[in-house]
Amino acid sequence: MSLIEINDLKVHYPIRGGFWNRIVDNVKAVDGVTFNIEAGETYGLVGESGSGKSTTAKAIIGLEKATAGTVMYNGKDVTKAENRRKLDYNRDVQMIFQDSLSSLNPRKRIEDVIAEPLRNFEHLDKEEEKLRVLQLLDIVGLDADALYKYPHQFSGGQRQRIGVARAVATHPKLIIADEPVSALDLSVQAQVLNFMKKIQRQFGISYLFISHDLGVVRHMCKNIAIMTRGRIVEVGTREDIYNNPMHIYTKRLLAAIPETNVNHREAHRKHRLEIEKIYQEQQATYYDQDGMAFPLVKVSPTHSVALPPELAKKFEQQSESKGVNV
Amino acid sequence: MWKTILRRVLIMIPELIILSILVFLLAKAMPGDPFTGSINPRADPAQIHHLMEIHGLYDPWYQQYWNWVVHLFHGDLGMSYEYQEPVVDLIQQRGANTLWLALFTMVLTYGIGLPLGMYAAHHEGKLQDTLVRVYTYVTMSIPFFVVLVIGIWIFGYALNWFPTSGSVSAQASGLGGTMLSRLDHIILPGLLGALFGTVNIVQYLRSEVIDAKHSDYVRTARSKGVPMKDIYRHHIFRNSLLPIAAFAGYSITGLLGGSIFTEMVFSYPGMGLLFLNAINFRDYTVITALVLLYGFLNLLGTLLSDIVLSIVDPRVRVE
Amino acid sequence: MVETNTDQFLNIKNVSTAFKINGQYYDAVSNVNLEVKHDEILAIVGESGCGKSTLATTIMGLHDPEETKISGEIDFEGTDLLKLDEKGYNKVRGAKIGMIFQDPLSALNPLKRIEDQIQEVMVYHTKMTEKERHARVIELLNQVGIEDPDRTAHQFPHQLSGGMRQRIIIAIAIACKPDLIIADEPTTALDVTIQAQILDVLRDIQRENHAGIILITHDLGVVAETADRVAVMYAGQIVEQGTASQIFNEPKHPYTRSLLRSMPQRDNESDDLYVIQGMVPSLQKMPKQGDRFAPRIPWIPASAHETEPKMHDIGDNHLVRCTCYKDFYFPDQVKEGAGHESN
């Protein structure tokens, strides 16, 4: 059984208009997203700005109200607030944000910042609490003298590690990391990613790793979902996505990642421009008349793609003849 | 655009109705009645009872409220118990006085505040800036009524430069003479009011200009080779003045409410003083009319500044 | 104007920029030497606080003279920019040097139409009529790949997407066909697909105008894709300089090598990433002498470092600061040629 199952999740925002300011339409920020996260794995959710990846994260943790769909955790739908309370969901699922400075209270010392979730969920006495905070600081590689400092006294990478320490304080099962290293320099990024992996090994935490950086996602995640316009267009293992991308959007996204190999510069550029041309030509066929992606079709046991109906038919027939469960 | 304005105006109607009911009930809930003590300290309770009955003060509240609304729509806000004058006439006279004072104060406030704020920001961190900031801090740290009392004492009583009470001199004759006398009466309170009003504007504008000065779009303009004085003209001042322009719509309606302090110290017969006296004398009709008017002005001010803002700032422009 | 197309036209000689902090000056850029030629993209790469953006704004003359002290010489087409007064500089900015900024939203005036913001630069540097300027605006918008130029010209910045805004910024920067374009993290705020398009636009424009581009970025991928030459900066200094191929295929300086190694790569998917020890020193704590990167590679003996690290040409204009690169190895690797380290 998966740790958490997101099923046909939708988050729509009403657009108001007309004279009486009534709801005339919806912005479909998230429109039918389905995926599961297994215990101890890092699940990658990739998309460009406006794809709905952050809204998905917020809906999963309960910061955003789901319009429809379920998020099943321990057999209960945690899109309902009372279930979240009953299951201690907010202790089990924590979040790390992109901007560590604005997500840490500037007037609180690090001791209080990290102890806050402990105080909310576990009732420790002063001594125990301090011990735990020190342990947590040690896990993320910060000295004890950090206890009495304020967030602004740390560098970006250190603050992000403090964010990690706070997130793991309550021994969560799942950490949702929304662009956790996007604001960091390369060398600091390496440090934070290593810590995230170390903590995962140590505590068996799962991550929902949200990023637009395909290089980082490839490094961190075994299973990856590509999202655009509120829907997932491709899901698969790292190998499926990077070696055999099938949706035109994924192909284009991958082709756009800069290569660090200067020797292949021209070839890579040519490849990118080719893909771009194909994208411009075929784009329309990959989305329905409302501009939304088609339903996912299984193309291999691990790999699903939102293929246009004609292509999808082919794969459905194939899988039927092979007897693969779709 | 017009649709939005019309909708905003329509929304104001239920707001005003709710406000009027609240105001009416609050006025009713105030202790005391308008007659005890004001007619004759030894008046017969039966006589007061009779007066209350004539004025419909024993009717149920909703009936009193309804009467009041019906009259309101006929331009009749009732008679002031205290002044024995129609409330409408009273507000008209006092309103005119307040309007003159308010306009004068506002012209002075913006006339002094805007250049001062820009001047300070332009010389950020230098002596000129420090002096302006000292002025704003000192002014802010003294209570307004203290400034008023000191002002009237020095310039009114000691130096005898300005009249110390009223809105127009009884000796003034002719249109010109009356106007001059009116001006004479509002110079000192207007100046003192502006002295205070400028503080907000100076501080606000100063920080807006400084923010704009260090903004990325100013850096872009500089990298285009635009001379600094043109950048001030085309980018910085324009962008910093917009929020203030929008706020002006709001503050003018605020000033129309009259300043209780100023009018009290200068015995200036404006709206503020009228309101204060109405509360002292439980002059319900005047209180309800005034609070309703203030509420209306407030809503109007918000609407006005929203409209101004949507005209000047493309980001809030409503399609 | 003398056409010296292949020659270097920007020559930065020994430039230092110091900021005043609590009454004292601290170098954010120290003794930088660089040159830029026509038709080339020079990338300056480094992490935040390394001084790369300060160098850019120094060339543009955007620093407040009361808060900064700049020394050295910036020879631009025969004039020393650092000797120009404000009026002289305004004739260069926008006309001969165009600048592109990181955040395209805040870099545009929110209250002015796109058309006016592009025209402004022409107002100050050309004698074009309003009509000619308008025609040029449309031409520029076409050039930077905006599909509906007439409509876009009339819009306000907030009505455009991030990629569109960055195209507008580029249009402003190239409006007067400058010889030099300085692009400071031009794609950092953008999605990868938009980033690729913007870099293409930049490259096309450079070819058309024969401009030289200084591309400032922290993104090694962007550098590898676009730069002809690369300068790597650390703590205010250039530590390595060479062609893109020299820097990526044969990196020499320990910092360059460490940086490249800390990138997530295809072949180290599940391994831990390499982490550079310690932190970049703050301006106030910058060591006065010695190798600035030495504290972050403590396993390399002090004797390997020069006391006053200089740039060494190791062949084909590949420059490396300090001699310590000869003895550098990663702690998890066996030192190459161990045994005769007396070399």
Side-chain angles (χ1 to χ4, degrees), chain B residues 126 215-228 230-231 234-236 238-239 242 312-317 319, chain C residues 60-63 66 86 90 93-94 97 99 101 103 106-113 117 120-121 124-125 156 158-159 172:
Chain B
K126 302 208 184 95
S215 70
D216 285 358
Y217 62 82
V218 162
R219 192 182 53 178
T220 307
R222 287 195 68 199
S223 66
K224 289 179 189 172
V226 183
M228 210 53 205
D230 289 5
I231 293 181
H234 301 317
H235 294 277
I236 298 178
R238 204 187 112 115
N239 288 26
L242 291 185
V312 294
D313 190 336
R315 286 166 298 181
V316 293
R317 197 164 291 172
E319 305 288 330
Chain C
M60 280 306 267
L62 294 179
H63 288 292
E66 285 169 34
E86 188 64 14
N90 277 334
R93 286 195 283 248
I97 308 179
M99 184 146 182
F101 298 97
D103 182 353
S106 65
L108 291 169
N109 188 332
L111 306 181
K112 282 187 185 289
R113 290 182 196 280
Q117 305 203 38
E120 190 177 31
V121 65
Y124 286 93
H125 300 296
F156 289 95
H158 72 278
Q159 295 170 308
I172 292 173

Side-chain angles (χ1 to χ4, degrees), chain B residues 35 39 44-58:
Chain B
F35 304 113
I39 308 170
D44 181 5
Q47 199 185 347
I48 291 174
H49 182 76
H50 178 66
L51 277 170
M52 297 275 280
E53 218 157 40
I54 289 176
H55 286 90
L57 292 175
Y58 288 131

Side-chain angles (χ1 to χ4, degrees), chain B residues 83 122 168 182 242 279:
Chain B
Y83 298 92
H122 196 154
V168 61
R182 279 190 178 280
L242 291 185
I279 291 173

Side-chain angles (χ1 to χ4, degrees), chain C residues 6-107:
Chain C
T6 46
D7 282 336
Q8 61 206 40
F9 65 102
L10 176 75
N11 211 331
I12 299 168
K13 294 174 194 158
N14 215 22
V15 164
S16 298
T17 306
F19 291 129
K20 194 152 108 185
I21 303 170
N22 298 330
Q24 262 201 304
Y25 283 99
Y26 297 95
D27 274 357
V29 168
S30 18
N31 304 323
V32 163
N33 289 288
L34 269 179
E35 60 283 338
V36 181
K37 303 184 192 72
H38 281 283
D39 291 308
E40 81 164 351
I41 299 182
L42 168 75
I44 302 179
V45 64
E47 298 184 288
S48 43
C50 73
K52 57 190 192 301
S53 287
T54 307
L55 182 61
T57 38
T58 301
I59 300 169
M60 280 306 267
L62 294 179
H63 288 292
D64 181 351
E66 285 169 34
E67 300 293 322
T68 42
K69 210 160 66 186
I70 299 170
S71 61
E73 190 187 330
I74 301 178
D75 181 357
F76 178 74
E77 295 176 345
T79 36
D80 182 2
L81 293 181
L82 295 182
K83 292 216 171 67
L84 289 177
D85 59 4
E86 188 64 14
K87 218 174 145 196
Y89 233 129
N90 277 334
K91 291 203 175 105
V92 176
R93 286 195 283 248
K96 290 175 177 171
I97 308 179
M99 184 146 182
I100 298 163
F101 298 97
Q102 171 173 352
D103 182 353
L105 179 57
S106 65

Side-chain angles (χ1 to χ4, degrees), chain B residues 100-113 194 198 252 255:
Chain B
W100 290 122
L101 182 57
L103 278 178
F104 185 68
T105 311
M106 208 154 140
V107 168
L108 281 180
T109 307
Y110 283 84
I112 300 169
T198 50
I252 181 103
L255 278 172

Side-chain angles (χ1 to χ4, degrees), chain A residues 85-96:
Chain A
R85 261 195 307 279
K86 252 182 251 162
L87 294 172
D88 265 342
Y89 181 73
N90 293 330
R91 183 186 65 192
D92 286 358
V93 179
Q94 294 286 328
M95 196 150 178
I96 307 172

Side-chain angles (χ1 to χ4, degrees), chain C residues 48-270:
Chain C
S48 43
C50 73
K52 57 190 192 301
S53 287
T54 307
L55 182 61
T57 38
T58 301
I59 300 169
M60 280 306 267
L62 294 179
H63 288 292
D64 181 351
E66 285 169 34
E67 300 293 322
T68 42
K69 210 160 66 186
I70 299 170
S71 61
E73 190 187 330
I74 301 178
D75 181 357
F76 178 74
E77 295 176 345
T79 36
D80 182 2
L81 293 181
L82 295 182
K83 292 216 171 67
L84 289 177
D85 59 4
E86 188 64 14
K87 218 174 145 196
Y89 233 129
N90 277 334
K91 291 203 175 105
V92 176
R93 286 195 283 248
K96 290 175 177 171
I97 308 179
M99 184 146 182
I100 298 163
F101 298 97
Q102 171 173 352
D103 182 353
L105 179 57
S106 65
L108 291 169
N109 188 332
L111 306 181
K112 282 187 185 289
R113 290 182 196 280
I114 300 304
E115 163 111 46
D116 299 334
Q117 305 203 38
I118 303 178
Q119 278 206 19
E120 190 177 31
V121 65
M122 297 178 233
V123 170
Y124 286 93
H125 300 296
T126 68
K127 294 197 169 73
M128 288 182 189
T129 62
E130 160 83 37
K131 219 173 146 189
E132 288 166 336
R133 288 200 302 264
H134 174 74
R136 175 79 177 135
V137 166
I138 301 301
E139 184 189 6
L140 283 165
L141 291 178
N142 270 317
Q143 200 180 353
V144 295
I146 293 220
E147 276 171 24
D148 190 350
D150 288 299
R151 192 179 122 90
T152 309
H154 259 88
Q155 287 181 305
F156 289 95
H158 72 278
Q159 295 170 308
L160 307 178
S161 69
M164 296 257 276
R165 287 183 206 127
Q166 195 58 295
R167 287 167 200 263
I168 303 299
I169 299 277
I170 295 176
I172 292 173
I174 63 166
C176 298
K177 297 198 174 171
D179 295 322
L180 176 66
I181 298 167
I182 302 175
D184 188 1
E185 303 270 11
T187 58
T188 306
L190 306 174
D191 282 324
V192 272
T193 49
I194 311 291
Q195 163 170 293
Q197 292 166 4
I198 294 291
L199 292 176
D200 282 345
V201 168
L202 264 181
R203 206 174 0 219
D204 293 347
I205 280 160
Q206 177 216 25
R207 290 207 180 128
E208 277 168 52
N209 296 2
H210 298 293
I213 295 185
I214 297 180
L215 176 69
I216 290 163
T217 180
H218 70 283
D219 189 329
L220 291 170
V222 169
V223 175
E225 290 253 319
T226 47
D228 298 306
R229 284 194 305 126
V230 182
V232 183
M233 276 186 89
Y234 177 79
Q237 295 177 323
I238 291 178
V239 293
E240 186 162 1
Q241 195 184 323
T243 62
S245 152
Q246 284 167 342
I247 298 294
F248 283 92
N249 293 335
E250 314 152 54
K252 288 286 184 272
H253 194 275
Y255 179 64
T256 316
R257 290 178 61 188
S258 307
L259 212 52
L260 284 167
R261 208 177 160 214
S262 59
M263 270 186 95
Q265 299 278 354
R266 214 178 261 268
D267 46 9
N268 66 355
E269 273 163 4
S270 45

